[in-house]
Amino acid sequence: MYVQCLGAAGRVTGSCHLVQAGDHRILLDCGLIQGRRKDEDLNYDDFPFDLGRIDAVVLSHAHIDHSGRIPLLVKRGYTGPVYAQDATAQLCDIMLRDSASIHEHAAERINRKREAAGEEPIEPLYTAADADMAMKQFRTMRYHQKFDVTPSIRVRFRDAGHILGSAIVELWLTEGSETRKLVFSGDLGHADAPVLRNPDTVTTADLVLMESTYGDRGHRSWDETRAEVEAIAELASRGKGNILIPAFSVGRSQLLLYWMARNFDEAGLKNWQIFLDSPLAINATSVYEQNLKLLDKDAQDLWSNRSIQDSLPNLQFTRTPDESRAIHLIESGAIIIAGSGMCTGGRIRHHLQHNLGRKACNIIIIGYQAAGTPGRQLVEGAETLKIFGDEIPVRAAIHTIGGLSAHAGQRALVNWYDQFEQRPPLVLVHGEPDAQLVLQGVIRDELAAPVHIAAEGDQFNLLQPLPF
Ligand SMILES: [Zn+2]
Ligand SMILES: [Zn+2]
């Protein structure tokens, strides 16, 4: 009976853990590695397990760094079930197809060059047909409902408060007469964040796998965050430029729309045109609308009698490439929310191309930026950024607002773990090594708890005392 960390170990992306109990094996998440090109190339590697022996996949939430290799698993022959919370399955339906089309386009681009050089074409990582096939294997579950994934593995999803449908996964593993409980935090939300409910409290476990994205830092309070955003809007209104917000299409984009609707007057938003410039984010927004019952009470109140689009009078959804290109002509007064969240692709790169070199513009970074991504370069004060082959000077002001993050900050992570009775062994995953070392130190000092930083391939036997 063991859990083995195969991904998001010593890094944030590529979440994947193998769980074995008795004769049965399941995967917890099967996510895409994101970041530098050489890291992303790892997605093409063989899976480090025997595909034919996986009985089920259990998915914590729809973000691509958790779900993005499921179509590849299916393409390579996996025919078993994928268990996910209802809304997670709805989001995956749009996100995995979107991910497939990104891979198809990337392969087309590469193949044009290869053809010109007389080389053999490459295959995309997976296609829309693979994503469609994967979706047929999804089995949906509600929060708080216990279900058997295999005869020896029982699972329950709890609300992780990170994006719509996101789950903390409780697993009861049985071997002979022995049962142990494993808890996987998934990605934990920011307590008291707008739109979503707070992460559920779980109090018992024999072993805990916890994310550690922001293990080395806290977030500001919502009031301070509001003041910060208002100050930027005020500054921007005087400078008369545009405001660009690279945002994850699922989660952050909807939080921004909520936040702007609630603070419309205070933030002086009536003088701006607001664009949600991402078909994926627009589609995800409608999945949020279909699942209002999963949101917190304030969001339900705001959106129960009108659509999310109608809650902001000057909000435009721009689906087509032509509508998006029309925004490039606007020099001033536009707030543009577009993906990808770390500026690695998508429409935000075109908007950066048009605005980054202009002093009057403001770029607001609100989400986690993985090492090696253009978004991270901006946060770290890069003087130029390479976009579509050109070095663009960074003259726009770059603002980072941690308070709008989808992840729990350091204090919230410590507190979430502290709710477990008797300090079960804790394994840190889904973090960069520096952040993990800081979090490990804090948890050891404050709680005297056994805490280990997972390295790729680490395996923990739940029936034996753990070596940390
Ligand atoms: Zn996530
Ligand atoms: Zn994640």
Side-chain angles (χ1 to χ4, degrees):
M1 183 191 291
Y2 66 81
V3 57
Q4 188 179 19
C5 300
L6 300 175
R11 69 168 89 229
V12 168
T13 61
S15 179
C16 186
H17 309 285
L18 177 71
V19 177
Q20 168 155 353
D23 295 333
H24 300 282
R25 290 170 159 206
I26 65 161
L27 290 181
L28 273 176
D29 289 349
C30 191
L32 204 71
I33 298 168
Q34 298 169 299
R36 297 184 182 91
R37 172 69 63 81
K38 73 171 170 38
D39 295 325
E40 296 197 350
D41 284 347
L42 298 171
N43 290 311
Y44 287 86
D45 285 1
D46 289 339
F47 288 107
F49 45 79
D50 179 356
L51 250 172
R53 290 206 52 204
I54 301 296
D55 298 297
V57 177
V58 173
L59 176 61
S60 67
H61 66 291
H63 274 152
I64 287 297
D65 64 313
H66 297 258
S67 66
R69 285 228 282 175
I70 292 173
L72 182 66
L73 205 63
V74 169
K75 174 182 173 178
R76 291 185 179 167
Y78 175 70
T79 55
V82 177
Y83 292 95
Q85 203 279 344
D86 304 326
T88 293
Q90 291 174 41
L91 288 172
C92 280
D93 197 36
I94 55 175
M95 294 177 76
L96 294 180
R97 276 176 234 274
D98 178 77
S99 175
S101 98
I102 290 171
H103 293 299
E104 287 177 10
H105 285 121
E108 275 169 28
R109 240 186 350 262
I110 292 167
N111 285 339
R112 273 197 296 273
K113 286 188 193 154
R114 293 180 71 94
E115 199 184 329
E119 293 169 341
E120 288 291 304
I122 59 151
E123 254 187 50
L125 188 64
Y126 51 82
T127 62
D130 299 316
D132 284 347
M133 184 91 87
M135 286 317 301
K136 294 201 175 84
Q137 290 167 228
F138 272 62
R139 306 280 177 272
T140 60
M141 295 291 155
R142 293 192 303 274
Y143 287 129
H144 311 299
Q145 169 189 14
K146 279 189 187 172
F147 56 96
D148 288 320
V149 167
T150 74
S152 60
I153 302 176
R154 201 167 168 73
V155 165
R156 179 166 63 181
F157 290 134
R158 310 289 301 276
D159 196 338
H162 164 69
I163 60 166
L164 183 72
S166 64
I168 298 161
V169 186
E170 295 176 289
L171 302 103
W172 289 266
L173 314 177
T174 302
E175 219 169 86
S177 58
E178 302 285 345
T179 296
R180 297 287 183 277
K181 185 179 171 194
L182 170 68
V183 174
F184 173 44
S185 72
D187 287 359
L188 290 171
H190 190 165
D192 302 323
V195 181
L196 299 169
R197 297 184 185 160
N198 288 347
D200 276 329
T201 303
V202 182
T203 56
T204 59
D206 295 295
L207 179 67
V208 178
L209 290 189
M210 184 175 78
E211 69 122 319
S212 48
T213 319
Y214 283 109
D216 58 346
R217 64 211 110 132
H219 297 316
R220 295 195 186 172
S221 70
W222 287 107
D223 287 343
E224 286 172 293
T225 301
R226 175 186 321 209
E228 233 173 351
V229 179
E230 282 170 21
I232 296 169
E234 159 68 18
L235 190 85
S237 68
R238 276 187 272 142
K240 292 219 189 299
N242 293 327
I243 298 180
L244 267 52
I245 312 180
F248 288 104
S249 305
V250 181
R252 290 314 79 189
S253 291
Q254 292 74 32
L255 179 142
L256 277 169
L257 298 181
Y258 173 87
W259 191 91
M260 291 198 280
R262 282 280 184 218
N263 296 278
F264 192 74
D265 295 328
E266 300 88 314
L269 291 171
K270 67 175 186 305
N271 303 320
W272 294 83
Q273 284 178 277
I274 303 168
F275 298 95
L276 184 62
D277 187 30
S278 157
L280 180 62
I282 295 166
N283 290 337
T285 299
S286 77
V287 178
Y288 270 65
E289 278 172 336
Q290 289 157 32
N291 289 280
L292 286 185
K293 62 183 187 307
L294 297 178
L295 305 183
D296 73 7
K297 187 175 172 309
D298 292 345
Q300 290 186 26
D301 289 348
L302 178 67
W303 289 329
S304 56
N305 294 321
R306 56 188 158 176
S307 71
I308 293 180
Q309 187 169 16
D310 289 342
S311 66
L312 274 166
N314 46 0
L315 169 65
Q316 294 177 52
F317 284 176
T318 44
R319 273 185 191 274
T320 67
D322 281 344
E323 287 172 315
S324 179
R325 275 192 286 271
I327 306 172
H328 300 165
L329 303 174
I330 303 175
E331 296 210 337
S332 185
I335 296 176
I336 306 158
I337 305 168
S340 71
M342 303 188 205
C343 311
T344 48
R347 293 179 177 177
I348 194 69
R349 292 179 66 77
H350 293 277
H351 297 304
L352 286 169
Q353 187 183 31
H354 287 88
N355 291 281
L356 198 56
R358 299 171 53 219
K359 247 195 160 115
C361 294
N362 289 273
I363 320 288
I364 308 183
I365 304 281
I366 56 167
Y368 181 77
Q369 305 296 317
T373 59
R376 179 71 159 257
Q377 286 172 261
L378 289 178
V379 170
E380 290 178 346
E383 286 178 8
T384 63
L385 199 67
K386 195 166 188 173
I387 298 174
F388 305 125
D390 294 330
E391 285 293 341
I392 312 272
V394 180
R395 296 202 189 94
I398 312 294
H399 312 268
T400 307
I401 299 185
L404 292 171
S405 164
H407 287 272
Q410 183 190 71
R411 183 51 30 203
L413 290 170
V414 174
N415 291 346
W416 185 78
Y417 170 73
D418 194 26
Q419 291 164 343
F420 285 95
E421 293 159 7
Q422 293 161 346
R423 311 252 189 276
L426 172 65
V427 174
L428 299 182
V429 294
H430 199 289
E432 286 176 18
D434 293 348
Q436 295 182 313
L437 277 172
V438 174
L439 183 63
Q440 182 184 45
V442 171
I443 292 176
R444 275 187 182 153
D445 289 352
E446 280 187 26
L447 307 176
V451 45
H452 175 82
I453 297 171
E456 203 169 297
D458 275 359
Q459 188 170 315
F460 308 96
N461 185 332
L462 281 92
L463 293 175
Q464 284 167 10
L466 292 164
F468 59 89

